[in-house]
Amino acid sequence: MLNVFATLLFSVNQWLQVILITRMIGLYEVGLFSYFLAIAAPLVLFSRFSFSDLVPTQRRYAYGYTMFARFRNILNHLFLLTMVGLAVFLELTLYETVCLILFSLFKYYETKEDFIYTENIAESNIAFLGYSKILKSILTIMLFAAAVFLTGSLLAAILSLAVAQITVYYLYDRRHTYYDNHQAGLFGRLHFRNIFWLGLGLSLVGLLSSLNTNIPRYILEHYHSVEVLGIYATIMYFSAIAFNIVITINQSLIADFANAAARSREAFWRSFSRLLGLYLAILVIGNIILILYGNDILVFVYGAQFEGYQREMLLLGLFISLIVVEKTLEMALNIFNFYNIQLVLQAFNFVLTVVLSVILIIPFGITGAFIVAIASALGVLLGQVATLFFGRKT
């Protein structure tokens, strides 16, 4: 429960960042912030190689955490170099380029922290995750709010994120790693190759999943404006809170669920069904609230400039419902090592997302973007259900 509370606090923290940028700096800046995230997210997910799911569930190699950490460090350095290259070559102003480089540094250290989380998830040391997120949430919002109120600058706001992330990483997170310097010296090409091929499928799943999420953002920015992207991103941020909470709960349970599945599939499905039933009950309540008060909530949080987006809030509720179920079924697929089929599902969905984005977003803007997001999530979910159904029969 501590980790769930910490994730809720951290999600609210991230939400407050978007609110502060929107209200104190402007729509253009929140759109720019969202654009940076859309650029970095696919590369971040690829470089992470889905280790939070892979390490606790894989049974092929008896590698210690250090070997996976060494692999992650190599990819993380490549991520940072790639982002710096993109920042230099994209058509950005000098100010925007510096903002993107600082944002990349923030994500670099967040990814380093993520593997320490992975180690502790595999060891069922969930309390550490909770304390780390609480500390980071408190420090981040203090620095971020100070930066926004004192400077009104997106650059200062992003710098505060990097400072908070680096501080927590070095002063707290690193004390809870299982990294062994002696083992690290034994890491070689064979280890890199084995881990690469073991995790490539899930890594590409993460990459394609992120692209499916962000392609609508690229098209909104290109064919409409950064401000329009800002409106879409701020509304969609409600789903990010739900996503973070569900991912955290699932990560907290994945090791236990994997052990239950190792005992018997019946034991796993009993526990899994209870979790999914709880999610569905909460989703029903949440959608009723959005139907009754969706527009009021939006205006209260972001201001009068968001008046008139009730339809988008209803679409948001449907999207959240789909991704909650999708991410929960994804956990089940990982536990049963259905890694490659997820790559097929996301590849098919990538094509679907590109086609629908061109057809719907260019003429219909934000509404079209929500419809594309819903269709994308539904496509993956149906494929997951079919895979799990077939898997139970074989």
Side-chain angles (χ1 to χ4, degrees):
M1 288 303 295
L2 175 66
N3 190 35
V4 176
F5 167 76
T7 299
L8 181 59
L9 178 63
F10 187 65
S11 297
V12 171
N13 185 322
Q14 293 177 313
W15 191 21
L16 286 174
Q17 294 167 22
V18 174
I19 294 170
L20 286 172
I21 297 174
T22 303
R23 285 185 172 270
M24 303 300 298
I25 305 179
L27 270 180
Y28 181 85
E29 284 74 12
V30 78
L32 195 63
F33 186 76
S34 301
Y35 186 51
F36 292 161
L37 183 60
I39 293 171
L43 294 174
V44 167
L45 288 177
F46 179 81
S47 66
R48 290 183 180 181
F49 250 59
S50 296
F51 278 174
S52 59
D53 292 324
L54 183 69
V55 173
T57 59
Q58 71 88 25
R59 299 289 183 266
R60 186 175 301 178
Y61 300 112
Y63 293 157
Y65 299 124
T66 300
M67 297 303 182
F68 288 99
R70 285 279 290 156
F71 180 92
R72 166 68 70 79
N73 286 339
I74 294 172
L75 264 63
N76 202 24
H77 282 94
L78 291 175
F79 158 77
L80 187 59
L81 289 173
T82 302
M83 287 301 299
V84 171
L86 285 174
V88 171
F89 289 105
L90 285 174
E91 295 182 1
L92 300 172
T93 66
L94 178 60
Y95 175 83
E96 292 167 350
T97 299
V98 175
C99 284
L100 181 53
I101 291 174
L102 281 175
F103 187 81
S104 303
L105 183 65
F106 159 60
K107 285 297 177 181
Y108 169 83
Y109 274 96
E110 187 180 66
T111 297
K112 289 172 73 69
E113 174 191 61
D114 178 77
F115 189 78
I116 298 177
Y117 285 3
T118 296
E119 295 173 288
N120 286 273
I121 288 170
E123 292 293 324
S124 297
N125 183 19
I126 306 303
F128 156 72
L129 277 70
Y131 290 125
S132 176
K133 290 175 184 177
I134 290 171
L135 287 172
K136 187 166 66 171
S137 296
I138 295 172
L139 181 60
T140 298
I141 200 58
M142 289 173 59
L143 294 179
F144 191 89
V148 170
F149 281 108
L150 293 176
T151 70
S153 165
L154 182 62
L155 177 62
I158 293 175
L159 177 61
S160 73
L161 293 177
V163 169
Q165 181 66 62
I166 293 170
T167 300
V168 173
Y169 173 78
Y170 280 109
L171 296 185
Y172 184 72
D173 292 337
R174 288 186 65 187
R175 294 161 50 194
H176 295 82
T177 182
Y178 295 83
Y179 194 83
D180 186 320
N181 289 318
H182 173 70
Q183 286 294 318
L186 301 177
F187 184 86
R189 293 182 179 179
L190 179 63
H191 299 99
F192 184 92
R193 185 187 67 187
N194 288 343
I195 295 174
F196 179 83
W197 288 114
L198 176 67
L200 181 61
L202 273 183
S203 179
L204 291 175
V205 168
L207 174 65
L208 289 173
S209 177
S210 181
L211 287 174
N212 290 335
T213 298
N214 287 304
I215 283 173
R217 301 181 184 222
Y218 304 147
I219 293 182
L220 278 175
E221 188 275 336
H222 184 75
Y223 287 98
H224 295 273
S225 68
V226 173
E227 289 85 357
V228 170
L229 171 59
I231 294 172
Y232 172 75
T234 49
I235 297 175
M236 186 61 88
Y237 214 85
F238 287 97
S239 68
I241 297 172
F243 178 89
N244 288 337
I245 294 173
V246 168
I247 288 295
T248 299
I249 294 174
N250 292 351
Q251 287 179 345
S252 300
L253 296 173
I254 191 170
D256 293 335
F257 278 7
N259 291 332
R263 293 195 302 271
S264 72
R265 291 203 170 194
E266 289 73 17
F268 167 79
W269 286 113
R270 281 196 299 271
S271 300
F272 182 82
S273 298
R274 286 195 292 268
L275 177 65
L276 189 59
L278 175 63
Y279 284 157
L280 291 175
I282 295 172
L283 288 171
V284 169
I285 296 172
N287 277 278
I288 291 173
I289 292 173
L290 288 180
I291 290 171
L292 296 176
Y293 306 108
N295 188 72
D296 296 334
I297 293 172
L298 193 61
V299 172
F300 175 77
V301 173
Y302 294 120
Q305 58 192 329
F306 284 85
E307 179 71 47
Y309 288 98
Q310 174 66 19
R311 177 176 56 193
E312 284 72 17
M313 289 296 281
L314 298 181
L315 294 173
L316 173 72
L318 179 56
F319 174 70
I320 290 174
S321 301
L322 291 171
I323 63 165
V324 167
V325 177
E326 176 195 329
K327 290 303 172 183
T328 307
L329 293 178
E330 183 179 286
M331 176 181 64
L333 290 171
N334 290 336
I335 287 173
F336 291 115
N337 295 168
F338 286 123
Y339 301 139
N340 293 333
I341 190 63
Q342 295 185 67
L343 178 58
V344 175
L345 293 176
Q346 291 293 346
F348 172 80
N349 210 35
F350 174 76
V351 176
L352 177 66
T353 300
V354 171
V355 172
L356 289 180
S357 294
V358 173
I359 294 173
L360 296 174
I361 297 177
I362 295 176
F364 300 113
I366 293 175
T367 301
F370 274 104
I371 295 173
V372 171
I374 290 169
S376 175
L378 181 60
V380 173
L381 190 151
L382 292 175
Q384 290 173 331
V385 170
T387 300
L388 288 170
F389 180 79
F390 177 77
R392 291 187 71 177
K393 296 296 184 180
T394 57

